[in-house]
């Protein structure tokens, strides 16, 4: 320890205390403390980065099996007497599919065995056959080869998600199904292709038929409504507050209020939407219009704050110059200030919209997590959105939805990356440094 | 929506109005430099366009919002009066939806003839009401156009009018924020009052038993003991505290590193990564909590011989903490950077090491700013929904143990309001009671935090 | 040595103590691409006040900050040359800047007390360097330092009040007290009076005069009268170069360089 004698302090300052041994020893300890804080800081940053990597890594890994889909080649016969060529849409295609399976496995003739057979292909197989026949009625009365999606358990088995070596009671494919599967593989009737269904289909109870199309359209409508409402309103409000509003109590209240609104939990906006838009105005549930309105109320503060910041950046000399040649205040703003602030405003808007795109909580309350199997055809037709679709799939028990949820998350993250990159680009490219 | 064509129609009419107004002004032009006009010709055009388009647009929106309820009351009016007198609003909604279903042909069993008749007339009503809205909007637009065009005269100061209208619109837009807050407050308070009419406030705020399922049965509406929200608030606090335990130390240390130690190169890589972390939607964190964090922590606990619930508070809380790391670190980073350079220099000139400067001078000076950030983060944690909906439990549990399952306010709100629930049951109304508490708590935290941050900024400006 | 110096010097008001405390040789410094110091060479003697004068932007502060390596905190700053404290190269790898700055204290142009109490401001240095074994000793150091900075009488009854609550002149003296509390060997002062009113300036000047007995002081000043009043030797800088370093009475009466003469008589600057 440092002795009082070493540093007599006021009893005559030792002019060389700083180079004394005691001070050197103490310095070493202080340097060690310094390094400790540095190491803690690095450690914290490393933890944050590591967690981000683990998060992305686990989602990418979990999504792996969703990008491909196993399909089974069937030789389907369309009996000419069972399909009306005038109206090929209406026929019992399911039975044709069952028949083609039965033809493949003539030895299986018990009802239970037939059930196993039918469980190999997706429930939606009949629609694939139907669509093929509708597209080409010449197939009626002929036998043709068609690839139909495998049922989810078989798909999972093929991808190795389901371990065939487990005891039968611990996997959800039974031994009979595995036998059929092996035979199909031997005959080369199985293939794995890119899972386009993920993008071309809407939701379905069956993982192999489920896709994001409905959710993508829903999110598109949501963002469209959100943008159309919050962009002009936000800019107008920001211009008023920044350029025209007198500095008084009232504008103070508005300002505090906007800052607070930006920090109100998103679910509260959902409650507002439910109570006002659905209850009072009687707008339909699950409609992108309502969702967009709710999201726009959430995005509005972000846009107002970003716009005000961008307006603040424009130097007063620009305004003075315009006012000096006789422009009105409104002309000054619309002709000079606003164009100069536009890059900043757009950046803020895109960031606000990106937040809105990822927001799920308020949409749950206005019913946008409903099970809807078609893409919305208008702003008022029921729809899901990307984040709510993720939630629906997350909540579904079927094995295949785990990977599809991850894949849907990656699609959502992809959109967010594009939007944020655009915002960064706008900022770098067009922002004027005063 | 058959009426959307109104929007292009109004835009077209506004464009015509602009052209007509401008033409008319040009026709009045007397050939002098100013043309003898009070303002430039295009302002006459803008004036006509605004008068033609704006009121009609407002009417159109109002029509859209209210036509649903108008049709509903027409429908109910068409039913025999014994069916519609003395019914609760739940029964009313049921009646209306059965009429709609009948109109769409999706019926269960055979509906009453009165319902079928009403379903028949539904389409007629729709046609009439929609048509009326369209006709009124069009008439208003055309009337506005003619009137505005008629007012054009050389002395008419169109620019002032146009600017006054735009100015009014801007004021209106800045009021939307206030209206939103008011809307939130009014709807929450209104629905909560209806809830408290059935369940006493004191029971809701201080009761310790939460079991909203009981009250669904008609004979137990407002049944006692089912709506004590204390375990829910408790769970919310436990989860939020878990989150803060992760976010505050990591976020603060990361901020110390970025603000004080990082080289420009390190700063340039760390900052964007933290921003990425901040931009990830919470639903993604929720999924991460369930598929990765929960199994990992459970295995870890099992290997230590501890039992852990799959919906343990520590899972949702910990992941929420990860989400809040960038939030805290960016606030702390700003606060540290706002400390003037002269204080750093002063400490350095006394021979303080970097860590001494940080711990003893910079952190105390930046404390208010950091505190503001921490409070805002806490408010976020309390209001965060998706992570807890996915990773926390549904059963209310009065425990401090982060390894046990708890439920939170937001989870309950979602649970009570999703699925097909009647709007009037205490169960759904309870969600608004919880919403009111949530809104009040976060609002107080936000006001406090923003106040601290603002004061702090002023101190160093 | 002292004797020979004194003998060779022409009549001087102070007997010049000629032990070299700080010496600089061929100091060149760049801020990024821009060179701010050119081949500066000078010696500073122990227990003397040396003043740096020159037009603003000529590199006075920059050079001063080289002497306790405060420029290390500026990322774009690059320095070359040789600066020695008691014959030891302060830019040597083996030198710890923390220790160096404990030996070479600094007072800044703008008073910069920490947002802490008066007591804690002064006690901060002794605390981190472990100069006091107990509270009583720390109290003693704080009191002597405040007395040394001629502030004791004004703040003795409110040591627990925030330092930021003092007037500008008091704040600057608090910063001086803070600097001397760690018993440095050299005190660097960068225009310590530029933010102060005349009365506060007079206080600080008196203080500098008293501190000279115990410390080596280097003061940057804009004010020629101040340099004349407080310093024994004066260095004149211009555009990053040291033009001349002479005893103060000589530089104000018969400078060696025409440029110095022009500056002192107010023809530029
Ligand atoms: N941190 C810095 N970064 C870049 N250039 C600087 C910095 N500090 C000072 N300079 C430049 O170095 C030159 C000398 O500055 P300074 O030493 O502050 O002058 P003085 O104190 O004599 O007025 C000036 O041209 C100034 O612009
Ligand atoms: Mg200077």
């Amino acid at each position: 320890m440092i002795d009082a004698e070493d540093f007599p302090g006021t009893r005559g300052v030792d002019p060389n205390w700083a180079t004394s041994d005691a001070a050197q020893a103490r310095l070493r300890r202080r340097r060690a403390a310094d390094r400790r804080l540095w190491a803690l800081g690095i450690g914290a940053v490393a933890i944050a980065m590591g967690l981000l990597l683990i998060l992305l890594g686990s989602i990418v890994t979990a999504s792996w099996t969703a990008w491909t889909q196993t399909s089974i080649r069937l030789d389907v016969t369309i009996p000419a007497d069972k399909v009306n060529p005038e109206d090929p849409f209406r026929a019992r295609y399911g039975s044709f599919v069952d028949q083609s399976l039965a033809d493949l496995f003539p030895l299986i003739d018990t009802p239970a065995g037939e059930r196993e057979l039918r469980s190999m292909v997706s429930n939606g197989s009949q629609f694939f056959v139907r669509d093929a026949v509708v597209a080409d009625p010449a197939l009626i009365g002929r036998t043709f080869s068609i690839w139909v999606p495998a049922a989810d358990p078989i798909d999972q088995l093929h991808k190795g998600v389901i371990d065939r070596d487990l005891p039968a009671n611990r996997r959800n494919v039974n031994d009979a199904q595995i036998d059929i599967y092996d035979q199909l593989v031997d005959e080369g009737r199985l293939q794995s292709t890119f899972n386009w269904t993920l993008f071309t289909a809407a939701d379905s109870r069956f993982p192999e038929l489920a896709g994001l199309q409905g959710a993508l359209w829903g999110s598109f409508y949501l963002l469209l409504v959100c943008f159309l409402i919050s962009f002009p309103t936000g800019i107008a409000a920001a211009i008023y507050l920044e350029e025209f509003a007198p500095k008084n109590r009232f504008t103070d209240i508005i300002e505090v209020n906007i800052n607070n609104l930006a920090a109100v939990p998103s679910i509260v906006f959902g409650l507002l939407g439910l109570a006002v838009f659905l209850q009072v105005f009687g707008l339909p549930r699950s409609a992108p219009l309502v969702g967009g309105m709710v999201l726009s109320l959430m995005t509005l503060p972000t846009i107002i704050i970003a716009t005000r910041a961008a307006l603040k950046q424009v130097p007063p000399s620009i305004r003075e110059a315009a006012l000096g040649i006789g422009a009105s205040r409104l002309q000054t703003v619309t002709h000079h200030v606003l164009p100069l602030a536009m890059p900043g405003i757009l950046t803020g808007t895109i960031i606000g919209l990106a937040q809105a795109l990822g927001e799920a909580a308020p949409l749950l309350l206005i019913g946008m997590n409903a099970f809807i199997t078609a893409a919305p055809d208008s702003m008022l037709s029921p729809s899901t959105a990307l984040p709510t679709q993720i939630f629906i799939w997350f909540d579904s028990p079927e094995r295949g939805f785990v990977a599809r949820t991850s894949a849907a998350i990656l699609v959502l993250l992809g959109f967010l990356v594009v939007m944020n990159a655009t915002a960064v680009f706008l900022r770098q490219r067009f922002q004027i440094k005063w | 929506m058959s009426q959307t064509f109104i929007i292009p129609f109004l835009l077209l009419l506004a464009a015509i109005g602009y052209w007509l107004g401008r033409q008319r002004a040009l026709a009045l032009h007397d050939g002098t430099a100013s043309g003898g006009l009070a303002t430039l010709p295009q302002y006459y055009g803008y004036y006509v366009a605004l008068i033609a388009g704006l009121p009609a647009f407002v009417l159109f929106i109002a029509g859209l919002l209210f036509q649903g309820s108008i049709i509903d009351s027409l429908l109910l009016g068409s039913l025999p009066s014994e069916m519609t007198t003395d019914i609760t609003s739940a029964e009313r909604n049921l009646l209306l939806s059965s009429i709609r279903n009948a109109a769409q042909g999706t019926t269960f069993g055979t509906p009453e003839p009165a319902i079928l008749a009403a379903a028949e007339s539904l389409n007629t009503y729709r046609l009439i009401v929609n048509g009326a809205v369209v006709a009124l909007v069009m008439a208003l637009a055309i009337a506005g156009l003619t009137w505005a065009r008629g007012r054009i005269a050389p002395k008419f100061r169109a620019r002032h009018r146009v600017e006054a209208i735009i100015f009014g619109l801007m004021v209106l837009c800045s009021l939307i924020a206030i209206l939103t807050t008011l809307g939130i407050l009014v709807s929450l308070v209104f629905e909560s009052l209806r809830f408290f009419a059935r369940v006493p406030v004191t029971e809701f705020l201080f009761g310790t038993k939460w079991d909203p399922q009981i009250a669904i049965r008609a004979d137990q509406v407002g049944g006692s003991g089912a709506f004590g929200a204390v375990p829910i608030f408790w769970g919310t606090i436990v989860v939020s505290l878990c989150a803060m335990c992760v976010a505050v130390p990591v976020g603060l240390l990361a901020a110390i590193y970025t603000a004080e130690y990082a080289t420009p190169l390190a700063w340039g890589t760390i900052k964007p990564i933290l921003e990425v972390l901040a931009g990830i939607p919470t639903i993604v964190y929720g999924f991460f909590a369930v598929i990765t964090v929960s199994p990992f922590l459970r295995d870890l606990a099992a290997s230590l011989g501890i039992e852990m619930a799959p919906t343990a508070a520590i899972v949702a809380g910990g992941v929420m903490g990860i989400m809040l790391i960038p939030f805290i670190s960016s606030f702390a980073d700003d606060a540290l950077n706002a400390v003037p350079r002269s204080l750093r220099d002063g400490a350095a000139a006394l021979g303080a090491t970097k860590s001494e400067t940080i711990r003893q001078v910079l952190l105390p000076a930046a404390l208010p700013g950091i505190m503001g950030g921490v409070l805002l983060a806490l408010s976020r944690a309390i209001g965060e929904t998706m992570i807890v909906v996915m990773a926390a439990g549904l059963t209310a549990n009065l425990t401090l143990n982060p390894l046990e399952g708890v439920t939170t306010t937001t989870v309950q709100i979602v649970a009570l309001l999703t699925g097909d629930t009647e709007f009037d049951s205490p169960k759904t109304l309870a969600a608004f009671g919880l919403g009111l508490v949530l809104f009040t708590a976060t609002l107080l935290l936000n006001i406090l935090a923003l106040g601290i941050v603002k004061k702090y900024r002023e101190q160093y400006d | 040595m002292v004797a020979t110096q004194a003998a060779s010097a022409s009549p001087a008001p102070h007997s010049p103590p000629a032990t070299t405390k700080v010496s600089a040789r061929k100091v060149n410094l760049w801020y990024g691409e821009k060179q701010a110091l050119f081949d500066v060479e000078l010696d500073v003697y122990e227990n003397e006040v040396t003043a740096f004068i020159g037009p603003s932007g000529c590199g006075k502060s920059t050079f001063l900050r080289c002497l306790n390596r405060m420029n290390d905190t500026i990322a774009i700053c690059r320095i070359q040359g040789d600066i020695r404290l008691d014959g030891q190269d302060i830019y040597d790898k083996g030198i710890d800047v923390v220790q160096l700055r404990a030996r070479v204290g600094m007072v800044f142009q703008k008073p910069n007390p920490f947002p802490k109490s008066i007591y804690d401001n002064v006690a901060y240095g002794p605390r981190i360097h472990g100069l006091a074994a107990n509270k009583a000793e720390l109290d003693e150091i704080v009191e002597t330092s405040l007395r040394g900075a001629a502030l004791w009488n004004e703040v003795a009854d409110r040591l627990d009040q925030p330092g930021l609550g003092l007037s500008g002149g008091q704040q600057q003296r608090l910063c001086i007290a803070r600097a001397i509390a760690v018993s440095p060997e050299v005190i660097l002062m960068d225009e310590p009076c530029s933010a102060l009113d005349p009365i506060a300036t007079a206080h600080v000047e008196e203080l500098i005069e008293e501190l000279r007995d115990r410390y080596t002081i280097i003061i940057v000043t804009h004010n020629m009268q101040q340099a004349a009043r407080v310093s024994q030797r004066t260095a004149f800088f211009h555009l990053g170069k040291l033009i001349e370093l002479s005893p103060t009475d000589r530089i104000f009466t018969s400078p060696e360089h025409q440029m110095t003469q022009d500056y002192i008589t107010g023809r530029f600057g």
Side-chain angles (χ1 to χ4, degrees):
Chain A
M1 255 329 286
I2 288 115
D3 196 334
E5 292 305 315
D6 293 343
F7 303 119
T10 51
R11 275 154 288 177
V13 178
D14 172 4
N16 295 322
W17 70 265
T19 44
S20 69
D21 287 347
Q24 298 282 6
R26 188 182 170 84
L27 195 57
R28 274 193 294 280
R29 284 199 304 278
R30 291 167 60 198
R31 282 296 182 199
D34 204 26
R35 278 192 300 276
R36 272 200 301 280
L37 186 62
W38 175 85
L40 281 174
I42 286 270
V45 170
I47 288 178
M49 288 188 181
L51 287 170
L52 181 64
L53 275 183
I54 295 175
L55 187 151
L56 293 179
S58 66
I59 289 172
V60 169
T61 339
S63 79
W64 213 241
T65 56
W67 301 110
T68 55
Q69 168 65 43
T70 313
S71 36
I72 298 176
R73 182 163 50 86
L74 298 180
D75 302 319
V76 186
T77 308
I78 310 292
D81 54 335
K82 298 240 175 82
V83 180
N84 175 6
E86 300 296 298
D87 186 12
F89 203 81
R90 286 176 207 284
R92 302 184 52 226
Y93 288 98
S95 62
F96 309 155
V97 171
D98 296 348
Q99 189 54 50
S100 71
L101 281 163
D103 294 347
L104 275 178
F105 295 90
L107 295 180
I108 298 176
D109 52 4
T110 60
E114 279 164 5
R115 205 161 50 238
E116 306 301 358
L117 263 185
R118 281 199 299 275
S119 72
M120 299 301 287
V121 296
S122 164
N123 252 32
S125 301
Q126 46 175 325
F127 304 122
F128 287 78
V129 177
R130 179 192 70 193
D131 292 348
V133 174
V134 170
D136 180 12
L139 293 173
I140 297 170
R142 302 203 352 234
T143 303
F144 63 99
S145 277
I146 184 169
W147 288 96
V148 297
D152 186 49
I154 305 306
D155 185 37
Q156 302 299 323
L157 180 73
H158 191 63
K159 288 167 178 167
V161 178
I162 292 177
D163 184 358
R164 59 188 295 159
D165 297 331
L166 283 175
N169 58 356
R170 289 191 37 212
R171 50 173 149 82
N172 54 356
V173 273
N174 56 31
D175 293 337
Q177 286 174 312
I178 289 187
D179 287 343
I180 300 174
Y181 165 79
D182 286 341
Q183 230 172 315
L184 285 172
V185 172
D186 289 344
E187 289 178 29
R189 287 186 178 272
L190 245 64
Q191 72 168 9
S192 218
T193 49
F194 184 78
N195 183 6
W196 287 110
T197 313
L198 198 58
F199 300 98
T200 54
D203 198 9
S204 163
R205 289 261 181 254
F206 305 101
E208 69 274 12
L209 300 179
L212 291 172
Q213 201 200 36
L216 287 171
W217 276 108
S219 275
F220 170 76
Y221 281 131
L222 280 179
L223 286 197
L224 186 66
V225 174
C226 179
F227 174 79
L228 287 179
I229 296 177
S230 58
F231 186 68
T233 339
I235 291 184
I239 290 179
Y240 174 72
L241 292 173
E242 195 58 38
E243 305 281 334
F244 297 102
K247 288 276 160 276
N248 57 24
R249 267 191 84 80
F250 182 65
T251 45
D252 268 359
I253 291 177
I254 296 187
E255 173 144 18
V256 168
N257 181 61
I258 287 172
N259 289 335
N260 270 312
L261 212 53
V264 166
S266 58
I267 192 162
V268 171
F269 287 95
L271 288 173
L272 173 75
L274 177 60
V276 175
F277 298 143
L278 298 194
Q279 281 298 112
V280 177
F281 292 128
L283 292 172
R285 264 175 91 81
S286 312
L289 177 70
V290 180
M293 278 158 53
V294 170
L295 291 181
S296 72
L297 293 182
M298 288 179 54
T299 314
L300 195 62
T302 315
I303 294 185
I304 294 181
I305 292 169
T307 305
R308 291 188 69 175
L311 291 173
K312 272 204 188 84
Q313 294 280 310
V314 180
S317 57
I318 301 276
R319 296 178 181 81
E320 282 152 16
L323 291 173
I325 53 172
S328 74
R329 284 171 75 191
L330 195 63
Q331 284 171 324
T332 304
V333 172
T334 50
H335 298 168
H336 301 282
V337 181
L338 199 55
L340 289 171
M342 223 10 134
I345 298 175
L346 286 179
T347 306
T349 306
I350 294 175
I351 290 172
L353 288 179
Q355 278 169 10
L357 176 61
E359 193 58 69
L363 303 184
L364 295 186
L365 297 197
I366 54 168
M368 292 200 72
N369 57 337
F371 174 67
I372 292 150
T373 52
D377 49 18
S378 83
M379 301 263 188
L380 284 172
S381 48
S383 158
T384 60
L386 260 184
T388 47
Q389 189 67 60
I390 291 170
F391 183 66
I392 297 168
W393 286 359
F394 163 81
D395 242 4
S396 308
E398 287 82 4
R399 200 59 184 268
F401 277 124
V402 178
R404 279 172 177 79
T405 310
S406 309
I409 285 178
L410 288 180
V411 172
L412 173 63
L413 290 180
F415 278 106
L416 293 181
V417 166
V418 170
M419 290 174 84
N420 283 305
T422 314
V424 169
F425 172 76
L426 278 175
R427 189 162 57 196
Q428 311 281 31
R429 175 76 179 73
F430 294 106
Q431 196 117 309
I432 305 162
K433 286 267 181 295
W434 299 102
Chain B
M1 200 167 36
S2 57
Q3 296 149 305
T4 25
F5 77 89
I6 286 266
I7 302 272
F9 169 78
L10 286 181
L11 285 177
L12 183 72
L13 207 71
I16 294 172
Y18 174 78
W19 185 75
L20 284 176
R22 193 161 161 274
Q23 282 315 94
R24 174 122 184 193
L26 286 175
L28 293 169
H29 206 284
D30 64 7
T32 60
S34 74
L37 297 172
T39 44
L40 291 175
Q42 64 256 40
Y43 279 99
Y44 294 95
Y46 288 139
Y47 177 72
V48 177
L50 278 174
I51 298 286
L54 209 56
F57 181 71
V58 173
L59 182 71
F60 173 59
I61 297 291
L64 272 192
L65 290 178
F66 289 108
Q67 67 187 12
S69 12
I70 295 174
I71 293 175
D72 284 353
S73 46
L74 283 176
L75 278 179
L76 291 174
S78 76
L79 292 175
S81 62
E82 64 271 15
M83 281 179 76
T84 54
T85 41
D86 291 337
I87 58 170
T88 67
S89 64
E91 287 166 330
R92 182 172 173 271
N93 285 341
L94 194 68
L95 216 52
L96 286 171
S97 59
S98 55
I99 295 177
R100 287 212 185 86
N101 286 339
Q104 277 180 359
T106 49
T107 51
F108 303 98
T110 349
E112 291 178 47
I115 301 261
L116 281 178
E120 291 284 296
S121 44
L122 174 62
N123 284 329
T124 333
Y125 288 143
R126 277 209 180 123
L127 218 61
I128 293 173
V129 173
N130 288 359
V133 168
V134 169
L136 275 177
V137 168
M138 285 186 167
L140 188 62
I142 291 168
L145 192 149
T146 3
W147 180 76
R149 185 168 175 273
R151 294 194 59 189
I152 293 176
K155 285 270 138 54
F156 183 70
R157 284 148 59 100
R159 203 193 78 208
H160 283 93
R161 302 296 170 108
V162 170
E163 293 199 347
I165 294 173
I166 291 182
F167 201 72
L169 282 178
M170 289 197 307
V171 175
L172 221 64
C173 288
S174 53
L175 287 180
I176 288 189
I178 296 245
L179 286 180
T180 308
T181 310
L182 277 182
I184 290 173
L185 210 60
V186 169
S187 54
L188 289 182
V189 167
F190 181 72
E191 303 290 344
S192 300
L193 285 180
R194 285 171 57 191
F195 174 61
F196 293 137
R198 306 183 195 192
V199 177
V201 192
T202 45
E203 190 203 313
F204 175 70
L205 287 181
F206 304 112
T208 54
K209 189 166 175 347
W210 178 264
D211 195 358
Q213 299 308 325
I214 291 176
I216 284 188
R217 297 215 311 269
D219 53 331
Q220 286 198 4
V221 166
S224 59
F227 285 100
V230 169
I232 295 177
F233 302 145
W234 187 252
T236 310
I237 292 170
V238 171
V239 170
S240 307
L241 286 185
C242 284
M244 301 315 276
C245 286
V246 172
V248 173
V250 179
L252 195 55
L253 285 170
I256 287 176
Y257 182 78
T258 51
E260 303 297 328
Y261 285 104
T263 60
L265 186 73
W267 193 86
T269 36
I270 296 168
K271 269 283 174 184
I273 288 178
L274 288 175
E275 274 171 31
V276 168
L277 214 48
I280 294 177
T282 59
I283 188 158
V284 180
Y285 282 107
F287 185 67
F288 175 60
V290 175
I291 65 155
T292 310
V293 178
S294 176
F296 171 76
L297 286 181
R298 228 158 2 125
D299 289 349
L300 189 73
S303 69
L304 297 174
I306 309 169
E307 200 169 315
M308 185 185 130
T311 57
I314 197 173
V315 174
V319 171
M320 207 188 275
I322 299 175
M323 176 195 89
L324 292 173
I325 289 173
F327 193 79
I328 296 217
S329 80
S330 96
F331 260 91
D333 192 70
D334 285 352
L336 284 171
N337 279 323
V339 178
R341 200 188 160 79
S342 67
L343 286 186
R344 277 165 235 264
D345 284 355
L350 285 176
T353 63
K354 205 154 202 173
S355 72
E356 285 160 353
T357 310
I358 293 167
R359 279 183 289 125
Q360 295 154 8
V361 178
L362 302 184
L363 282 183
L367 193 64
I370 296 173
M371 272 314 293
V374 170
L375 288 180
L376 278 181
L378 182 63
S379 140
R380 276 227 173 169
I382 293 176
E384 169 48 39
T385 307
M386 290 321 293
I387 296 178
V388 277
V389 165
M390 293 162 92
L394 267 177
T395 38
N397 210 341
L398 206 58
T399 172
L400 242 183
N401 182 356
L403 299 180
E404 278 183 50
V406 292
T407 188
T408 73
T409 319
T410 47
V411 174
Q412 289 302 321
I413 293 177
V414 171
L416 293 172
L417 289 180
T418 47
D420 292 320
T421 45
E422 300 171 36
F423 206 77
D424 269 333
S425 78
K427 197 179 141 187
T428 46
L429 292 177
F432 284 89
L434 290 175
L436 184 62
V437 175
L438 176 69
F439 180 68
T440 317
T442 52
L443 189 72
L444 291 180
L445 272 176
N446 295 343
I447 290 179
L448 185 67
L450 291 170
I452 293 177
V453 172
K454 190 167 175 224
K455 266 247 163 60
Y456 174 71
R457 291 225 178 94
E458 281 163 0
Q459 184 189 332
Y460 287 121
D461 266 354
Chain C
M1 205 161 86
V2 176
T4 49
Q5 273 270 341
S8 67
S10 44
H14 306 277
S15 56
T19 318
T20 301
K21 187 73 187 171
V22 180
S23 77
R25 293 292 174 268
K26 290 230 171 249
V27 175
N28 285 285
L29 184 144
W30 292 262
Y31 287 116
E33 293 296 292
K34 189 175 159 249
Q35 188 162 5
L37 292 178
F38 299 84
D39 285 334
V40 176
E41 303 205 351
L42 58 71
D43 286 332
V44 174
Y45 298 145
E46 197 156 27
N47 294 19
E48 237 189 36
V49 177
T50 305
F52 291 176
I53 60 170
S56 70
C58 68
K60 305 180 297 290
S61 305
T62 300
F63 182 67
L64 194 72
R65 292 164 62 91
C66 290
L67 302 182
N68 67 343
R69 293 183 54 176
M70 280 304 280
N71 284 327
D72 289 14
T73 60
I74 297 167
I76 56 165
C77 180
R78 198 156 51 80
I79 180 167
Q80 255 176 24
D82 185 60
I83 300 177
R84 286 171 187 275
L85 177 68
D86 288 337
Q88 196 179 21
D89 182 2
I90 64 167
Y91 282 87
D92 188 80
K93 280 249 184 315
I95 287 288
D96 191 311
V97 288
V98 165
Q99 190 190 44
L100 171 72
R101 289 176 193 154
R103 298 172 64 191
V104 184
M106 186 165 192
V107 175
F108 297 84
Q109 181 166 1
K110 232 180 103 216
N112 57 350
F114 302 133
K116 296 168 181 283
S117 72
I118 295 171
Y119 183 94
D120 287 340
N121 262 285
V122 182
Y124 182 69
R127 274 200 187 119
I128 56 174
H129 295 298
L131 294 188
N134 52 43
K135 176 87 169 86
E137 270 184 36
L138 192 59
D139 287 349
E140 205 179 329
I141 295 178
V142 169
E143 179 174 344
T144 4
S145 307
L146 283 170
R147 281 191 196 282
L151 191 59
W152 177 254
N153 293 337
E154 292 157 63
V155 300
D157 53 344
R158 48 174 172 142
L159 290 177
D160 54 350
Q161 309 260 310
L164 284 163
L166 298 173
S167 74
Q170 288 172 324
Q171 284 189 12
Q172 193 61 301
R173 278 179 284 150
L174 178 63
C175 292
I176 294 176
R178 190 175 69 185
I180 63 182
V182 287
S183 314
E185 298 160 37
V186 181
I187 301 179
L188 312 174
M189 299 186 169
D190 191 353
E191 303 192 30
C193 300
S194 65
L196 307 184
D197 62 53
I199 296 175
T201 303
H203 272 296
V204 173
E205 284 181 9
E206 267 169 45
L207 182 59
I208 292 171
E209 181 64 31
E210 277 166 32
L211 293 175
R212 182 163 74 88
D213 293 343
R214 275 174 291 150
Y215 307 98
T216 305
I217 295 174
I218 305 173
I219 176 169
V220 172
T221 174
H222 233 85
N223 178 331
M224 239 70 69
Q225 284 74 35
Q226 187 171 56
R229 282 195 298 268
V230 302
S231 72
Q232 281 71 56
R233 297 198 310 151
T234 299
F236 172 62
F237 285 79
H238 185 241
L239 292 179
K241 297 193 177 82
L242 174 67
I243 304 298
E244 101 171 76
L245 169 62
S246 310
T248 302
D249 41 13
R250 180 137 28 99
I251 212 167
F252 283 101
T253 49
S254 53
E256 282 170 28
H257 282 260
Q258 185 58 38
M259 218 186 276
T260 319
Q261 169 102 47
D262 289 350
Y263 179 68
I264 286 165
T265 53
R267 239 165 273 169
F268 75 94

